[in-house]
Amino acid sequence: MNALFEYMDRLNAPYECFEMGDYSSWFPVHSHWHYYMEIIYIVRGNAMMTCDDKSFVARVGDLVLVLPHQIHSIYAVSHEPFSCLVMKFDVSQLSPAIGQTAGAMSGVHFNSLFRVARDNPNAKLWFHEEELENFPVERIFRYSIQELQAQEYGCRTMVQSCVSQLLTFILRCWRRDGFDTDQSFALRTEAESIYSITEYIDGHIQENVKVEDLAKMCNMSYSYFAKVFREVYGQSCKKYIEFVRLCKAEDLLLFTNLDLNYISQETGFADCSHFIKAFKEKYGQTPKQYRMQNSKGASVLQE
């Protein structure tokens, strides 16, 4: 079974920007996560987007921010043509170097601020078209695409400037909503090891992954590991493991004809009844009901 983790060469290609739509070979975008940040701007049609445990329909002119480590997916919700502009980047590239004052280049320590934004009620990730009315979002995306295609001298610097503009605009919106950008966000080394453990969970989800084993891998006690994990991800590690399993199961329900017993085994559930119970708690219906209701939408995507 494929892992949800998506690799990006952060050293040689720290920035990617492109247009994607239902004409693309990699659409629909199945559930996945990555270490970099992603910004999506809808230019045509509508799309159902999921980000962690939230789902919503993004429409033309909407902007969606995906934070590092957030599990997300995109698929169309009608036969109408769909396309969006996508920007992917390593947010740590925008952080000040050691020994410099925070934000020596941009005045903002992006890496720290966006890491603590996860699950913050004042840091929304979805912006409607009317909220972006006076900000040239599409022009910034188009210019970044042009720079990366031309690959002229200093193109990374130019794209970094565009990324900084978008992120600064988002932070200004968050500040107006009460997000505190002035506090210190120095991340502990323990939190850093928590970030690396999620890739292990993803790659071993078919196995009987135990929280106590993960704690040992991070050289932490069970209680301390559980505390730090909850601080970083806003939920218990056990709940996160179940969430990853359900994301993989949802993809198998929508895009394969595999039976429930096989899916439950493939995604690491103890048995089929446990899978059905967990799925119903999250989605409000059984896996069979979910597949019947959404299979039409899945077939639309693959036409």
Side-chain angles (χ1 to χ4, degrees):
M1 181 179 195
N2 293 332
L4 297 181
F5 173 67
E6 179 182 282
Y7 172 76
M8 177 181 179
D9 188 348
R10 295 188 289 175
L11 178 63
N12 298 309
Y15 302 101
E16 292 182 11
C17 199
F18 52 89
E19 184 166 355
M20 176 188 72
D22 47 17
Y23 49 81
S24 307
S25 59
W26 56 83
F27 194 85
V29 180
H30 294 209
S31 295
H32 68 288
W33 67 276
H34 34 64
Y35 288 122
Y36 48 90
M37 191 178 293
E38 185 171 352
I39 304 178
I40 301 165
Y41 181 68
I42 313 299
V43 294
R44 184 173 60 168
N46 306 322
M48 175 63 73
M49 301 190 65
T50 63
C51 194
D52 282 347
D53 59 348
K54 299 178 179 63
S55 298
F56 51 87
V57 176
R59 308 183 187 281
V60 174
D62 287 358
L63 183 77
V64 180
L65 177 67
V66 180
L67 299 175
H69 291 255
Q70 287 191 309
I71 298 175
H72 55 287
S73 62
I74 312 172
Y75 55 93
V77 291
S78 70
H79 285 280
E80 296 179 9
F82 169 79
S83 62
C84 63
L85 303 176
V86 180
M87 184 179 285
K88 298 180 178 181
F89 53 92
D90 180 5
V91 70
S92 66
Q93 294 280 332
L94 304 171
S95 297
I98 296 173
Q100 293 180 314
T101 57
M105 179 175 180
S106 65
V108 179
H109 200 301
F110 290 113
N111 195 28
S112 295
L113 287 168
F114 281 93
R115 277 197 172 179
V116 299
R118 188 167 180 159
D119 295 318
N120 188 306
N122 298 319
K124 63 182 179 181
L125 305 180
W126 179 20
F127 297 83
H128 294 291
E129 180 180 16
E130 54 270 21
E131 299 175 272
L132 310 171
E133 187 176 0
N134 297 316
F135 190 72
V137 176
E138 185 168 355
R139 181 175 64 79
I140 290 173
F141 271 90
R142 298 287 184 191
Y143 182 77
S144 299
I145 293 173
Q146 177 184 323
E147 281 289 331
L148 290 174
Q149 288 176 341
Q151 286 293 303
E152 294 185 9
Y153 174 77
C155 71
R156 286 191 184 182
T157 302
M158 299 298 282
V159 174
Q160 178 173 302
S161 175
C162 291
V163 171
S164 296
Q165 287 183 64
L166 279 171
L167 295 185
T168 301
F169 171 78
I170 290 169
L171 287 170
R172 286 178 175 178
C173 293
W174 288 359
R175 278 176 63 91
R176 287 194 290 268
D177 292 335
F179 183 78
D180 185 1
T181 56
D182 298 321
Q183 59 181 298
S184 173
F185 294 119
L187 290 173
R188 296 170 299 185
T189 55
E190 293 93 339
E192 292 292 343
S193 65
I194 291 292
Y195 276 104
S196 65
I197 206 67
T198 52
E199 186 173 351
Y200 178 88
I201 293 172
D202 185 14
H204 296 78
I205 204 67
Q206 293 167 277
E207 305 168 14
N208 183 22
V209 181
K210 296 181 179 180
V211 179
E212 50 265 36
D213 293 335
L214 299 177
K216 290 178 183 177
M217 291 173 63
C218 293
N219 296 313
M220 300 181 193
S221 68
Y222 177 91
S223 58
Y224 189 65
F225 173 85
K227 177 178 179 291
V228 175
F229 194 97
R230 184 178 289 277
E231 286 177 355
V232 173
Y233 287 100
Q235 60 183 315
S236 70
C237 184
K238 183 179 179 181
K239 205 66 180 172
Y240 179 85
I241 293 170
E242 184 176 272
F243 172 68
V244 173
R245 287 183 169 135
L246 289 171
C247 285
K248 290 176 181 279
E250 182 186 19
D251 264 3
L252 293 176
L253 286 169
L254 288 176
F255 302 106
T256 74
N257 293 317
L258 297 171
D259 63 52
L260 299 189
N261 278 313
Y262 184 91
I263 291 175
S264 67
Q265 294 173 14
E266 187 73 2
T267 52
F269 284 94
D271 51 51
C272 191
S273 60
H274 181 206
F275 163 53
I276 293 172
K277 180 181 179 182
F279 192 93
K280 189 172 182 180
E281 286 179 359
K282 183 178 188 300
Y283 294 94
Q285 52 189 168
T286 66
K288 184 177 180 180
Q289 291 169 333
Y290 186 86
R291 172 178 266 172
M292 291 178 62
Q293 180 176 318
N294 294 281
S295 59
K296 182 178 179 180
S299 64
V300 167
L301 301 174
Q302 298 178 48
E303 289 177 357

